[in-house]
Amino acid sequence: MLQFTRLLTLVPTVFLLFPHAISASSPRLVSSRGSTLSGTITVGQNGTELFYTDSGPPASDSYVTFFAVHGLGFDEGIFQKVQALMQTSGARFVAINRRDYPHSTPYSAAEISVIINGTDSERTQFSTARGVELLTFMSQFIVQKGLSPISADGLTGGIVLIGWSLGNPLPLAAVGSIDKVPSSMQKQLASYMRGLIMQEPAPNILGLPTPAQNWAPLIDTSFPAVDQIPMFNIWVTSYFQQGDLSTRDLNQLSWVVPAVFREPSIFNMTPSQFNSIVLNGTNVVNDLLTVLNFGPQLLLNYQQSNFNTTIRNLLPSMRNSLICGDVSLAFSIAAFWDVEDDNEAAGGGFVSFDLVEGVNHFIHWDNPETAKNVYLASVER
Ligand SMILES: *[C@@H]1O[C@H](CO)[C@@H](O)[C@H](O)[C@H]1NC(C)=O
Ligand SMILES: *[C@@H]1O[C@H](CO)[C@@H](O)[C@H](O)[C@H]1NC(C)=O
Ligand SMILES: *[C@@H]1O[C@H](CO)[C@@H](O)[C@H](O)[C@H]1NC(C)=O
Ligand SMILES: *[C@@H]1O[C@H](CO)[C@@H](O)[C@H](O)[C@H]1NC(C)=O
């Protein structure tokens, strides 16, 4: 999605424009979110915390719990609509803010220096550490809330991890690091982990090559730097009229111009929703660099958590799936085809695929009922 050469010119400008990009965000209330619960869980040394919102338990004793990880520039609040539907559908939905997003611990100076200047092995350690933080989060949440493990018939209980957009690397780092945590935690999570949902990654978010056709306002330096992130936020929430997807031809995709049959998702946010969910400058730069500078780590975690049988056998009940809208961004559809190819090359059966009709990159915002059904169906197949 983003090219390093272009970013080299963007980064210094963005740091000048958004000097708080590397510091903590100020706390905000989630009180406008009805009955949504919220909290933090300590996941590492030095009191490192991850913030979450939680739909709370549904009426039944045994139910599935989803843990969702947000993308670039949109925090956990982007899941609030689908989250609100889960409780009455017999499921629980927890949306987590990644490190550096509101109420979760900002990156330390040492961590930022690894993001920006780290060696390959420092970046591998960084990526494993973030994965272990997410595994710790889920392990702690299970204990604190008394979640039920997967039932004997496999039909209820347990947990499902969702990574959306630039949120994909964190769940993939978590699953890819399952062999790095104590065996007691491995065993605990093995009895809970029902699913890993990859929702609309771009190829480079999985460590795969970026198609030559790729474009995004964030990487187009003909935009004034100050406009790149706000423009990206409008563009990325748009709908795209794609060509004949059965051809699996990258040239059939609309890489630049949005369609006009439906307004971008960002247009139907209230000002207060926009102000609490969209981070149109803060935190975006480090987040970009965790993709641009971490190609080998992203690729390894993607391969390990999907296709490595040693890793898959440590979480034997986990079903992996990839979901994507058919009028979404070209890069999401390109990644969909890439993972289909990799699944095929690995012998098939590692990943299930869902190309969802009529939805864009923000299915959980614009079509929350559909998103709910797609998430629930991912563990029913
Ligand atoms: C905890 O903080 C100390 C002192 O700032 C630092 O040396 C150490 O690396 C930190 N540990 C982690 C895991 O971040
Ligand atoms: C990265 O390296 C450059 C050049 O060595 C140095 O000036 C800069 O302070 C470093 N930045 C961080 C965040 O470590
Ligand atoms: C970006 O977000 C800030 C803080 O919410 C807001 O003041 C500013 O108007 C936003 N800029 C754009 C272009 O939306
Ligand atoms: C699978 O993962 C294990 C554990 O990390 C590793 O030892 C092994 O080399 C991997 N296998 C392949 C084929 O990459």
Side-chain angles (χ1 to χ4, degrees):
M1 152 168 88
L2 301 149
Q3 287 156 12
F4 186 60
T5 45
R6 294 277 180 79
L7 192 86
L8 282 177
T9 56
L10 173 65
V11 166
T13 326
V14 174
F15 271 116
L16 286 176
L17 293 171
F18 304 103
H20 304 299
I22 57 170
S23 67
S25 311
S26 50
R28 69 187 169 78
L29 298 171
V30 290
S31 56
S32 60
R33 304 259 299 271
S35 60
T36 308
L37 310 167
S38 65
T40 56
I41 290 180
T42 302
V43 293
Q45 293 169 39
N46 297 342
T48 299
E49 290 180 331
L50 293 178
F51 172 81
Y52 67 91
T53 57
D54 173 17
S55 63
S60 60
D61 282 344
S62 185
Y63 54 85
V64 65
T65 300
F66 294 91
F67 293 102
V69 180
H70 65 87
L72 174 86
F74 294 82
D75 80 359
E76 59 75 30
I78 198 65
F79 291 109
Q80 63 187 258
K81 292 186 176 183
V82 67
Q83 182 175 47
L85 298 176
M86 284 292 182
Q87 206 183 27
T88 50
S89 302
R92 186 170 191 160
F93 196 96
V94 177
I96 301 168
N97 269 351
R98 291 188 279 118
R99 293 283 304 280
D100 233 15
Y101 279 79
H103 311 305
S104 289
T105 305
Y107 290 129
S108 67
E111 287 164 340
I112 288 166
S113 118
V114 172
I115 293 174
I116 296 173
N117 283 340
T119 62
D120 198 48
S121 86
E122 286 170 335
R123 286 183 177 143
T124 300
Q125 281 173 30
F126 176 98
S127 150
T128 302
R130 301 292 80 73
V132 170
E133 285 171 358
L134 182 55
L135 293 173
T136 306
F137 179 95
M138 296 191 296
S139 171
Q140 290 290 318
F141 192 95
I142 286 168
V143 173
Q144 286 182 18
K145 312 292 182 186
L147 302 186
S148 302
I150 305 170
S151 59
D153 62 7
L155 298 178
T156 184
I159 63 176
V160 174
L161 191 47
I162 303 170
W164 167 62
S165 195
L166 200 129
N168 273 278
L170 187 55
L172 294 172
V175 172
S177 304
I178 188 68
D179 58 338
K180 309 285 193 309
V181 295
S183 64
S184 56
M185 195 190 287
Q186 288 178 26
K187 287 204 188 82
Q188 176 207 24
L189 292 172
S191 65
Y192 281 85
M193 197 68 174
R194 285 176 76 180
L196 171 65
I197 300 178
M198 296 172 282
Q199 182 180 342
E200 302 226 351
N204 67 343
I205 287 172
L206 303 176
L208 301 170
T210 295
Q213 294 89 338
N214 191 55
W215 182 85
L218 262 183
I219 60 170
D220 189 330
T221 50
S222 69
F223 280 95
V226 69
D227 294 336
Q228 283 173 338
I229 291 170
M231 188 64 198
F232 175 77
N233 290 337
I234 297 171
W235 178 83
V236 80
T237 68
S238 297
Y239 287 78
F240 293 83
Q241 188 59 65
Q242 304 299 2
D244 181 359
L245 298 186
S246 72
T247 62
R248 305 179 91 254
D249 177 356
L250 294 174
N251 291 319
Q252 289 282 323
L253 303 178
S254 178
W255 288 89
V256 179
V257 182
V260 294
F261 63 77
R262 189 168 174 183
E263 64 183 18
S265 314
I266 208 171
F267 287 23
N268 60 57
M269 289 180 180
T270 65
S272 113
Q273 287 170 334
F274 179 90
N275 287 330
S276 74
I277 295 169
V278 184
L279 294 95
N280 61 10
T282 313
N283 313 57
V284 170
V285 174
N286 287 337
D287 237 9
L288 283 178
L289 293 176
T290 63
V291 167
L292 295 170
N293 289 349
F294 284 69
Q297 289 75 27
L298 298 174
L299 181 61
L300 182 66
N301 287 329
Y302 157 63
Q303 289 174 334
Q304 291 285 93
S305 52
N306 285 292
F307 308 117
N308 181 302
T309 48
T310 308
I311 296 292
R312 294 294 302 261
N313 288 339
L314 289 173
L315 298 169
S317 302
M318 180 179 72
R319 313 240 178 121
N320 291 19
S321 53
L322 180 65
I323 67 180
C324 181
D326 73 350
V327 285
S328 189
L329 300 154
F331 63 61
S332 297
I333 295 170
F336 189 89
W337 290 337
D338 283 342
V339 180
E340 279 186 332
D341 289 345
D342 288 345
N343 180 55
E344 201 66 19
F350 291 91
V351 182
S352 302
F353 296 88
D354 236 336
L355 192 63
V356 187
E357 205 179 315
V359 301
N360 73 349
H361 201 54
F362 288 72
I363 174 176
H364 40 295
W365 185 267
D366 272 3
N367 296 75
E369 190 72 33
T370 307
K372 183 196 78 179
N373 293 335
V374 169
Y375 294 154
L376 287 169
S378 75
V379 290
E380 282 161 8
R381 35 179 131 246

